[in-house]
Amino acid sequence: MSTTIMYGNVVADQIRSNLKTEVEQLKEKAIFPRLVVVIIGNNQASSTYVRIKKKAAEKIGISSAVYELEEDTSEDYLINLIKQFNEDLNTHGILIQLPLPKHINEKRVLESISPDKDVDGFHPINVGRLSIGQRAFLPCTPLGIIKLLDYYGVSAQGKHVVVVGRSNIVGKPVGQMLLNQHATVTYCHSRTKNLFDYTKQADLLIVAVGQAHLITKEAVKEGAVVVDVGNTFLEDGKVVGDVAFDELKDVVSHITPVPKGVGPMTITMLLHNTIEAAKRLN
Ligand code: GUN
């Protein structure tokens, strides 16, 4: 079987180049897209992600500010800060890097972000809008998957989509987005019995559980489209996905690699959402 490898890094570069042009055009209309990122404590992985987000924003002309707060920052202080960003006419996107320290109530914090500046798409208003098919800020990883499938000409209409993983950040919203595109969606998760009985039925299989090489050749139907959201660091420093890529790559019709698959699309969609927020707020 001739298999198409869906390279997110290639698609991300192309989208970022278009976004850069869009930012230039907004600036001509005196709209200067601005993203604020807040990070609390010293989680190494979070610091790296935030640095990458800031650099990516600046590369396409979005101004960004990173607020690095101490681990013992109070919930009220954080919420007050968010309220200031909500009211600041020059701030279009607000991102609170997760996870938060244990003493801070994540739900209260996310709900304090204005839904119009919620470039992560985590506010219940945006989650609700997605669920009833209204225009919403959509979470970045699932939106990146949708754009990647679009680029490679994969339509979900009438297809059986199987989503493995039911997180609020990836699994649940990607299933809803594809349902909105007229797919038939099945969700599987850690308590699903006989997982492969379901995955083998998938025309489009999306795996987002963080379990290295969970999906083997026996788990897929020939000719299926496979999207791997996994990102596990092995002891030797290598990054692998939830899918045994080498085994599957001659069996399926389309597959994303890890790295260079879904990953680069996520930050690109954060940039996309920030520009969208700037346009909507002006
Ligand atoms: N931590 C890990 N992924 C994400 C994300 O997409 N957004 C935020 N805010 N925090 C995260």
Side-chain angles (χ1 to χ4, degrees):
M1 156 138 336
S2 106
T3 304
T4 303
I5 299 180
M6 298 187 285
Y7 284 106
N9 59 333
V10 173
V11 184
D13 279 353
Q14 202 177 99
I15 296 175
R16 287 186 204 199
S17 160
N18 294 340
L19 293 176
K20 188 166 185 266
T21 307
E22 205 170 343
V23 171
E24 283 158 11
Q25 288 163 350
L26 286 173
K27 286 182 177 173
E28 281 167 20
K29 292 193 252 175
I31 299 169
F32 300 92
R34 178 174 166 79
L35 171 70
V36 164
V37 180
V38 180
I39 176 168
I40 300 142
N42 353 300
N43 179 319
Q44 215 41 44
S46 289
S47 302
T48 305
Y49 288 135
V50 166
R51 210 171 40 245
I52 297 171
K53 286 171 184 175
K54 182 174 167 63
K55 214 167 137 194
E58 283 170 358
K59 203 163 168 203
I60 66 156
I62 294 176
S63 92
S64 68
V66 175
Y67 287 72
E68 296 180 67
L69 307 183
E70 297 293 335
E71 177 82 24
D72 62 358
T73 299
S74 75
E75 188 176 306
D76 285 343
Y77 179 88
L78 176 60
I79 287 174
N80 269 323
L81 190 64
I82 292 171
K83 282 189 181 147
Q84 288 173 36
F85 299 143
N86 286 343
E87 283 158 23
D88 176 14
L89 296 178
N90 296 318
T91 294
H92 307 103
I94 303 169
L95 184 145
I96 310 299
Q97 187 65 28
L98 303 177
L100 293 170
K102 295 240 173 335
H103 66 279
I104 297 182
N105 181 336
E106 181 181 298
K107 176 174 170 289
R108 205 175 148 232
V109 168
L110 294 182
E111 286 181 8
S112 72
I113 299 172
S114 161
D116 298 329
K117 299 190 178 186
D118 172 35
V119 286
D120 256 331
F122 293 167
H123 191 289
I125 292 266
N126 283 315
V127 175
R129 283 178 182 154
L130 164 62
S131 131
I132 55 174
Q134 287 183 357
R135 190 174 83 150
F137 280 109
L138 300 173
C140 299
T141 300
L143 182 58
I145 294 170
I146 299 292
K147 300 268 181 192
L148 193 58
L149 292 172
D150 266 0
Y151 180 91
Y152 283 97
V154 176
S155 160
Q157 179 165 294
K159 301 261 176 70
H160 185 192
V161 174
V162 176
V163 181
V164 186
R166 54 172 162 176
S167 71
N168 291 334
I169 295 183
V170 184
K172 261 187 230 163
V174 82
Q176 287 179 320
M177 289 178 204
L178 292 164
L179 180 64
N180 289 344
Q181 293 187 359
H182 313 293
T184 303
V185 180
T186 300
Y187 286 100
C188 300
H189 47 78
S190 51
R191 314 258 174 105
T192 299
K193 296 197 176 95
N194 304 317
L195 175 67
F196 290 1
D197 287 353
Y198 297 92
T199 58
K200 269 192 291 204
Q201 293 179 39
D203 302 312
L204 168 54
L205 176 64
I206 300 183
V207 196
V209 287
Q211 235 177 289
H213 294 172
L214 170 71
I215 301 297
T216 55
K217 202 166 65 180
E218 292 70 39
V220 297
K221 178 168 78 177
E222 195 177 329
V225 175
V226 178
V227 175
D228 187 352
V229 191
N231 196 29
T232 302
F233 285 86
L234 301 181
E235 274 177 15
D236 61 5
K238 216 175 139 200
V239 183
V240 296
D242 291 347
V243 172
F245 180 88
D246 291 342
E247 273 186 31
L248 263 71
K249 77 173 189 318
D250 299 320
V251 177
V252 297
S253 75
H254 296 70
I255 188 167
T256 58
V258 176
K260 298 186 178 170
V262 172
M265 295 300 292
T266 297
I267 292 184
T268 306
M269 292 305 108
L270 172 65
L271 308 176
H272 165 92
N273 281 349
T274 303
I275 294 169
E276 197 56 36
K279 288 196 289 194
R280 286 189 207 172
L281 289 162
N282 281 279

